[in-house]
């Protein structure tokens, strides 16, 4: 099975992407805006995609600032019609500005390419999380974890669990990591080591299920380190004709991630065929 990915290729030396076929849109401002509040030699880069988050971005940045003394905050403002960018700039964040919406998770790739830290911490502009709840992700990477996941599997006790929740569990089972349950790079906050980012490449971050699968397949140290119940923090997304369009994107990404596992490990994804004698079938 061949997979074609539609995200930008990595531009930093030593980083690779997984066969991208189109480029991420270029920013409308040729230079990224900087402010002195970011540490000149950051150990931690906090990457925050944001779209119309003027009401929360100040508190989000405040939480990000407290994760480490040597910290930079990068806010990827895309498709905003409010003052999100102005607020972020006034608080000393590095702002990368796009007039158009970038779509699901592409801001992660763009922010990661600009990051200078040894630890890359990802969160969202609508998630107000105190620094004390973000530090465990930084600590885990500092202690040798390559991919530090939010230990949040989503609600599974209902009669009909959400398809996205099921897809996360299924992917981890296929990967041979049932211990991760429904934890994956689909959920923020999560953090990456510089080693993990160099191996995965920036473009893959825009499709978190594939990045998650690639990290496990490459033998990176992937752990669920701290629980933040983002299901209660996330705003309810508007539906179109009664359907959630983002759900379909996430499900397709999980299917492609499963395809990546099969491509790497064979048609049974590395699982035994048991006592079947297929050669007896004519």
């Amino acid at each position: 099975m061949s997979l074609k990915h539609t995200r930008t290729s990595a531009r930093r030396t030593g980083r690779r992407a997984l066969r991208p076929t189109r480029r991420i849109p270029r920013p409308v401002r040729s230079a990224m805006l900087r402010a002195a509040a970011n540490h000149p030699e950051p150990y931690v880069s906090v990457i925050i995609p944001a779209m119309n988050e003027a009401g929360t971005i100040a508190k989000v940045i405040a939480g990000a600032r407290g994760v480490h003394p040597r910290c930079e905050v990068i806010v990827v403002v895309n498709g905003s019609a409010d003052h999100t960018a102005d607020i972020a700039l006034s608080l000393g964040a590095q702002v990368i500005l796009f007039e158009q919406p970038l779509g699901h998770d592409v801001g992660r790739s763009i922010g990661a390419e600009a990051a200078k830290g040894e630890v890359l911490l990802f969160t969202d502009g609508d998630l107000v999380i105190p620094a004390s709840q973000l530090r465990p992700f930084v600590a885990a990477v500092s202690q040798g974890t390559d991919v530090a996941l939010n230990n949040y599997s989503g609600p599974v006790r209902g009669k009909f669990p959400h398809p996205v929740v099921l897809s996360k569990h299924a992917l981890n089972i296929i990967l041979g990591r049932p211990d991760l349950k429904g934890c994956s790079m689909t959920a923020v906050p999560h953090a990456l080591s510089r080693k993990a980012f160099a191996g995965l490449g920036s473009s893959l971050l825009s499709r978190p299920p594939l990045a998650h699968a690639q990290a496990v397949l490459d033998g990176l140290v992937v752990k669920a380190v701290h629980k933040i119940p983002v299901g209660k923090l996330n705003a309810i997304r508007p539906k179109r004709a009664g359907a959630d369009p983002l759900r379909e994107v996430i499900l397709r990404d999980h299917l492609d991630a499963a395809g990546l596992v099969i491509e790497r490990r064979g048609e049974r994804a590395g699982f035994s065929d048991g006592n079947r004698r297929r050669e007896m079938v004519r």
Side-chain angles (χ1 to χ4, degrees):
M1 175 180 290
S2 63
L3 300 176
K4 293 184 178 179
H5 305 287
T6 58
R7 308 298 180 197
T8 186
S9 59
R11 293 175 292 188
R12 191 184 292 267
T13 302
R15 299 177 185 170
R16 61 181 174 80
L18 201 61
R19 299 187 297 277
T21 57
R22 75 178 184 190
R23 298 179 64 83
I24 289 174
R26 303 305 303 166
V28 296
R29 294 184 183 179
S30 59
M32 289 177 286
L33 304 172
R34 293 180 177 272
N38 277 353
H39 197 282
E41 296 181 356
Y43 178 72
V44 179
S45 299
V46 186
I47 297 153
I48 309 170
M51 178 179 175
N52 292 329
E53 307 297 353
T56 57
I57 194 64
K59 292 181 179 179
V60 174
I61 292 174
R65 286 270 179 233
V67 299
H68 195 275
R70 290 168 50 198
C71 175
E72 68 173 351
V73 177
I74 301 171
V75 182
V76 183
V77 180
N78 60 103
S80 285
D82 62 8
H83 298 293
T84 300
D86 295 331
I87 295 169
L89 279 171
S90 72
L91 295 171
Q94 175 178 335
V95 173
I96 306 174
L97 184 64
F98 292 81
E99 287 184 346
Q100 72 273 39
L102 295 177
H104 185 48
D105 295 313
V106 174
R108 296 185 192 182
S109 298
I110 294 172
E113 286 188 346
K116 297 184 292 184
E118 292 301 312
V119 180
L120 279 63
L121 175 62
F122 298 89
T123 185
D124 281 339
D126 61 345
L127 296 179
V128 179
I129 303 171
S132 61
Q133 296 298 304
L134 294 172
R135 291 189 199 112
F137 298 94
V138 176
V141 175
S142 298
Q143 294 165 12
T145 299
D146 292 309
V147 182
L149 301 175
N150 184 354
N151 192 12
Y152 175 74
S153 291
V156 294
R157 295 185 179 181
K159 186 176 180 180
F160 300 105
H162 195 283
V164 170
V165 173
L166 292 176
S167 68
K168 294 177 183 179
H169 282 263
L171 179 58
N172 282 328
I173 291 171
I174 294 171
L175 284 166
R177 291 296 307 273
D179 58 298
L180 293 176
K181 300 181 181 179
C183 304
S184 82
M185 290 176 65
T186 304
V188 292
H190 64 257
L192 300 180
S193 66
R194 175 59 64 177
K195 169 188 172 183
F197 178 58
L200 296 174
S202 62
S203 72
L204 210 57
L205 300 185
S206 61
R207 303 186 73 187
L210 280 95
H212 177 79
Q214 188 72 53
V216 174
L217 290 169
D218 287 349
L220 297 177
V221 180
V222 181
K223 295 182 180 179
V225 302
H226 184 65
K227 182 177 180 179
I228 296 180
V230 290
K232 297 179 180 179
L233 299 176
N234 275 321
I236 298 175
R237 293 188 295 265
K239 294 184 178 181
R240 299 176 186 172
D244 179 0
L246 184 54
R247 183 184 75 172
E248 302 307 315
V249 171
I250 298 173
L251 292 177
R252 285 197 299 271
D253 282 350
H254 277 85
L255 287 173
D256 284 349
L260 176 62
V261 179
I262 292 171
E263 186 178 76
R264 287 278 295 270
R265 293 181 174 173
E267 63 181 13
R268 291 190 57 80
F271 289 89
S272 168
D273 206 16
N275 59 1
R276 293 188 180 96
R277 297 288 301 278
R278 295 180 184 269
E279 71 275 9
M280 303 300 293
V281 179
R282 298 182 179 178

